[in-house]
């Protein structure tokens, strides 16, 4: 939800902007019903401060922010309590985990920037080589991305070891592309590798939160702004959002390859099916 994005950015806001954030988070429905003057009064700040807050978290102004807030609140599953408890029954887990995942994807669909996706596809389409970097949970996403993108006909590789992607990054040059995947955007080792890749002239696509050190290094930023808290299960939803963005980029790149590439993909799929049939018959 948009509220998660506010929580993600709150530490980067000024003291006055944090007052606006706190007021909205305390009662988002009331903030939606208020006009700019009323919200500023409740937050005990000036109207320009509210506008600066909106721009600080990625919106053009108050009206743009208010529209997105309305959409976000409307899309959230009504009455869905996603808080996990030790005494939850299996039925509770099904409802809560599914609700969390659904809300994450609805929020992603509502806020994912199509222009950023388009720019990322243009960079990927002209790349001589694509490398995916990620660590921890993001390393799993990087490996999934390599599995999907290697079929595009462009050499691809995924690295989750910081020493390895540091060496690989230092060997990149103009025409190469790195897709940096991060849930927080501040990992020191990943930042160092991306700096090395940029120094060599490689393009950088960042899939991660805006307003972070990693985002500042991007040739193209695809913002994925999700909240992080003490709940150890939050990465489940975060990983899901990143995987969906990878799917969007992989499919978009495949479609750009045209009908001849599609024919090659179909032939490869037929060969795989034939291999599976032969393998099965061998063990009968």
């Amino acid at each position: 939800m948009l509220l998660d994005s506010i929580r993600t950015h709150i530490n980067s806001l000024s003291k006055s902007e944090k007052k606006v954030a706190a007021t909205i988070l305390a009662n988002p429905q009331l903030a939606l019903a208020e006009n700019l003057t009323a919200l500023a009064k409740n937050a005990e700040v000036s109207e320009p401060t509210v506008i600066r807050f909106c721009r600080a978290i990625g919106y053009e102004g108050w009206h743009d922010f208010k529209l997105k807030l309305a959409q976000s609140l409307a899309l959230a599953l009504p009455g869905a309590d996603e808080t996990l408890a030790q005494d939850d029954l299996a039925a509770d887990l099904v409802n809560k985990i599914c609700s969390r995942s659904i809300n994450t994807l609805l929020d992603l669909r509502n806020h994912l920037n199509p222009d950023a996706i388009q720019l990322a596809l243009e960079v990927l389409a002209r790349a001589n080589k694509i490398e995916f970097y990620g660590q921890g949970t993001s390393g799993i996403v990087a490996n999934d991305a390599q599995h999907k993108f290697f079929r595009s006909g462009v050499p691809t590789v995924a690295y989750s070891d910081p020493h390895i992607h540091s060496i690989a990054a230092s060997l990149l040059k103009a025409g190469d592309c790195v897709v940096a995947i991060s849930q927080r955007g501040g990992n020191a080792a990943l930042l160092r590798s991306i700096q090395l890749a940029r120094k060599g002239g490689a393009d950088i696509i960042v899939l991660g939160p805006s307003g972070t050190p990693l985002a500042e290094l991007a040739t193209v930023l695809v913002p994925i702004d999700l909240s992080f808290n003490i709940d150890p299960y939050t990465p489940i939803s975060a990983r899901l959002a990143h995987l969906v963005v990878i799917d969007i980029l992989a499919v978009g790149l495949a479609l750009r390859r045209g009908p001849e590439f599609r024919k090659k993909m179909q032939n490869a799929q037929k060969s795989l099916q034939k291999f599976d049939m032969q393998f099965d018959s061998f063990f009968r």
Side-chain angles (χ1 to χ4, degrees), residues 251-268:
V251 172
L253 183 59
L255 291 173
R256 276 174 164 261
R257 296 295 184 186
E260 283 299 318
F261 176 73
R262 180 178 177 83
K263 185 176 181 180
K264 289 181 180 179
M265 289 286 292
Q266 290 173 335
N267 291 336

Side-chain angles (χ1 to χ4, degrees), residues 19-221:
K19 289 184 178 181
V20 181
T23 301
I24 294 171
L25 291 173
N27 195 335
Q29 293 290 354
L30 178 60
L32 183 62
E34 292 177 328
N35 58 27
L36 175 61
T37 302
L39 178 62
K41 183 177 180 180
N42 285 340
E44 298 180 347
V45 299
S46 66
E47 293 181 19
T49 298
V50 176
I51 295 173
R52 284 196 298 272
F53 159 79
C54 296
R55 291 174 177 169
I57 63 170
Y59 297 93
E60 294 180 2
W62 168 245
H63 293 294
D64 184 34
F65 170 80
K66 193 172 182 179
L67 175 61
K68 296 298 183 181
L69 177 61
Q71 292 173 341
S72 181
L73 294 177
L75 285 172
L77 295 180
D81 180 10
E82 300 173 7
T83 305
L84 299 168
Q86 189 171 359
D87 58 350
D88 278 345
L89 301 175
D92 298 321
L93 295 177
V94 169
N95 290 330
K96 291 179 179 182
I97 296 297
C98 286
S99 293
R100 174 176 292 185
S101 298
I102 290 169
N103 276 333
T104 296
L105 294 183
L106 287 172
D107 191 49
L108 180 69
R109 184 184 67 178
N110 193 35
H111 294 101
L112 193 58
N113 187 343
D115 292 335
I117 294 293
Q118 182 66 31
L119 289 173
L121 287 172
E122 291 172 4
V123 171
L124 292 168
R126 65 173 183 257
N128 298 320
K129 176 170 61 176
I130 303 172
E131 297 192 351
F132 298 92
Y133 298 172
Q135 293 176 215
T137 302
S138 296
I140 298 172
V141 179
N143 287 327
D144 179 78
Q146 193 275 333
H147 176 72
K148 291 169 179 170
F149 272 78
F150 88 96
R151 307 175 192 181
S152 67
V154 180
T156 62
V157 66
Y159 297 120
S160 57
D161 184 299
H163 298 92
I164 301 300
H165 62 58
S166 176
I167 296 171
S170 68
L171 300 175
L172 295 176
K173 57 185 181 297
D176 297 332
C177 176
V178 174
V179 179
I181 303 165
S182 177
Q183 295 179 8
R184 297 181 184 271
N187 182 278
L190 182 59
L191 288 171
R192 180 176 183 274
S193 293
I194 296 307
Q195 289 169 342
L196 289 171
R198 284 200 55 164
K199 186 177 180 181
D203 286 314
I204 310 297
I205 297 174
V206 171
L207 310 184
S210 55
T212 61
L214 183 62
E216 293 177 1
L217 295 174
T219 306
V220 177
L221 171 64

Side-chain angles (χ1 to χ4, degrees), residues 216-231:
E216 293 177 1
L217 295 174
T219 306
V220 177
L221 171 64
V222 180
I224 304 176
D225 294 313
L226 300 169
S227 68
F228 288 91
N229 49 43
I230 59 173
D231 183 352

